[in-house]
Amino acid sequence: MEMVRPAARRSVGETQPPLPSIYSLTLDELKEWLVAQGEKPFRATQIYEWLYQNRVTDFADMTNLPKRLREQLASSFSITTLKTVVKQTSKDGTIKFLFELHDGYSIETVLMRHNYGNSVCVTTQVGCRIGCTFCASTLGGLKRHLEAGEIVAQVVQVQKALDDTNERVSSIVVMGIGEPFDNYDALIKFLRIVNHPKGLNIGARHITVSTSGIIPKIYQFADEGMQVNFAISLHAPTNELRTKLMPINKAYPLPKLMEAVRYYIEKTGRRVTFEYGLFGGVNDQLEHAEQLAELIKGLKCHVNLIPVNYVPERNYVRTPRSQIFAFERALKKHGINVTIRREHGHDIDAACGQLRAKERKEETR
């Protein structure tokens, strides 16, 4: 494992809020702003190319724009940059970044290498208020939402790291710190920006959004008409057990969640992935596999079994490998499409929120 540590951090709240992030603007919004400034809307495409193809960090470098426009951009927007506090590199090539934001808060972003390309896992909030009992992300609660541009900047920053080896980000998973649907508007803007051909041009079917189950937003997301992949953090096959693991189930109980999932499938025609973390002696017995098969039978779905990473602040232990395979076989016996997630970064602080919890204790108390 390789670890890189740059200079010491700023104090939280030490800096003044920056100008709005230009990464937060969709192409249409940027065109509208340009027209309001008396500029031609085609300039928006030029600006997007500078931001996302050339990846400049200074408006002065946008040399095919009039000087007056470059000055207007610089006085109206910032180009969000994230300071790398810690960079951990695993033996398997996984890289975990702890980035510092303008106000001193920190977030995690992960680059995972697959045989089909490079995937980036992004964060949508500083902390999380969902309170899942197995997750380090929720330690210390929610500090604030990220702006769309701060989510976009994570992908841009990782892409810059890949530029050195002529590689590119080929897929995105929105499964980092925070509940994406709790920051819904910023999430949707982020998806539209990174998916746009003039933006980062990540294909919709190479983007996956996960939620712990905020039911009203599932219905809203189904109606957006996006072709991105959709995942539910399920982790339990019964209402009682899910409430113990995930307090959000009190507000949005499992039967209602499954109704929303059925609506999503019917409305979009797309498959749903159920993320199911296996916790030793808690939800990993064969009876749980049978209950899960009964819960999701007949749905256009896929189950992703996740061998959990140990989190020191939590008491859950890893399910033995033999039990993981037995759980998988039990689901397959019922015709359930199921895979076991390949582990990434097992030799670094791989669990979501784990690196932040270790390095920024004052944020996660």
Side-chain angles (χ1 to χ4, degrees), residues 100-116:
E100 186 176 290
L101 304 168
H102 69 86
D103 54 7
Y105 281 126
S106 59
I107 56 173
E108 294 179 355
T109 307
V110 185
L111 167 65
M112 297 170 288
R113 299 181 185 276
H114 306 274
N115 55 12
Y116 54 81

Side-chain angles (χ1 to χ4, degrees), residues 11-39:
S11 298
V12 172
E14 183 179 305
T15 57
Q16 293 297 314
L19 294 167
S21 173
I22 195 163
Y23 289 141
S24 289
L25 296 187
T26 65
L27 190 65
D28 286 342
E29 287 173 334
L30 186 52
K31 287 177 180 177
E32 289 173 10
W33 181 84
L34 286 163
V35 170
Q37 311 308 309
E39 295 286 347

Side-chain angles (χ1 to χ4, degrees), residues 134 232-236 245 274-280 282-284 303-309 317 319 327 341:
F134 48 82
I232 300 284
S233 293
L234 189 64
H235 306 307
L245 290 171
F274 291 108
E275 306 282 351
Y276 194 99
L278 291 163
F279 307 104
V282 177
N283 67 346
D284 61 348
V303 174
N304 193 12
L305 297 178
I306 306 169
V308 298
N309 291 299
V317 298
T319 296
F327 200 99
R341 178 184 288 179

Side-chain angles (χ1 to χ4, degrees), residues 1-16:
M1 179 189 81
E2 176 195 358
M3 182 179 288
V4 178
R5 291 176 182 276
R9 66 172 298 188
R10 294 183 289 265
S11 298
V12 172
E14 183 179 305
T15 57
Q16 293 297 314

Side-chain angles (χ1 to χ4, degrees), residues 117-337:
N118 297 308
S119 180
V120 176
C121 181
V122 298
T123 283
T124 54
Q125 295 176 304
V126 180
C128 183
R129 61 177 156 204
I130 300 302
C132 298
T133 60
F134 48 82
C135 184
S137 296
T138 197
L139 295 168
L142 177 67
K143 304 304 182 186
R144 71 171 176 87
H145 299 308
L146 294 188
E147 299 171 42
E150 292 175 310
I151 311 173
V152 173
Q154 295 171 60
V155 185
V156 173
Q157 201 97 347
V158 174
Q159 180 57 65
K160 284 181 182 176
L162 290 172
D163 286 342
D164 295 337
T165 51
N166 293 315
E167 298 177 85
R168 75 178 296 264
V169 174
S170 52
S171 61
I172 296 171
V173 290
V174 189
M175 296 183 183
I177 294 171
E179 161 54 61
F181 280 4
D182 193 30
N183 191 14
Y184 188 85
D185 292 343
L187 167 71
I188 296 301
K189 287 188 75 173
F190 162 77
L191 295 175
R192 297 196 191 287
I193 292 163
V194 297
N195 174 235
H196 198 284
K198 297 296 183 182
L200 286 164
N201 195 25
I202 308 293
R205 300 191 181 200
H206 296 280
I207 301 172
T208 302
V209 175
S210 176
T211 180
S212 59
I214 299 181
I215 289 174
K217 296 302 182 185
I218 294 175
Y219 285 99
Q220 190 174 346
F221 192 64
D223 293 340
E224 295 282 355
M226 291 184 161
Q227 293 297 301
V228 301
N229 303 310
F230 182 50
I232 300 284
S233 293
L234 189 64
H235 306 307
T238 66
N239 201 53
E240 181 182 12
L241 180 55
R242 194 167 192 267
T243 298
K244 289 179 181 177
L245 290 171
M246 305 175 70
I248 191 175
N249 200 67
K250 295 175 185 175
Y252 302 116
L254 187 56
K256 295 291 186 183
L257 175 60
M258 297 308 296
E259 286 178 18
V261 169
R262 289 186 181 90
Y263 176 85
Y264 176 87
I265 294 171
E266 290 169 8
K267 184 67 187 281
T268 66
R270 298 186 59 74
R271 183 178 75 169
V272 168
T273 294
F274 291 108
E275 306 282 351
Y276 194 99
L278 291 163
F279 307 104
V282 177
N283 67 346
D284 61 348
Q285 304 302 300
L286 291 181
E287 66 179 286
H288 297 123
E290 295 294 329
Q291 290 167 337
L292 178 58
E294 179 65 23
L295 179 71
I296 65 177
K297 69 178 180 182
L299 292 180
K300 189 175 184 179
C301 68
H302 168 257
V303 174
N304 193 12
L305 297 178
I306 306 169
V308 298
N309 291 299
Y310 174 69
V311 176
E313 295 86 355
R314 304 304 194 185
N315 294 321
Y316 297 108
V317 298
R318 177 173 286 241
T319 296
R321 284 178 62 83
S322 60
Q323 184 65 23
I324 295 172
F325 291 129
F327 200 99
E328 179 192 34
R329 286 194 300 271
L331 292 178
K332 285 184 173 178
K333 181 184 70 176
H334 289 281
I336 303 295
N337 188 325

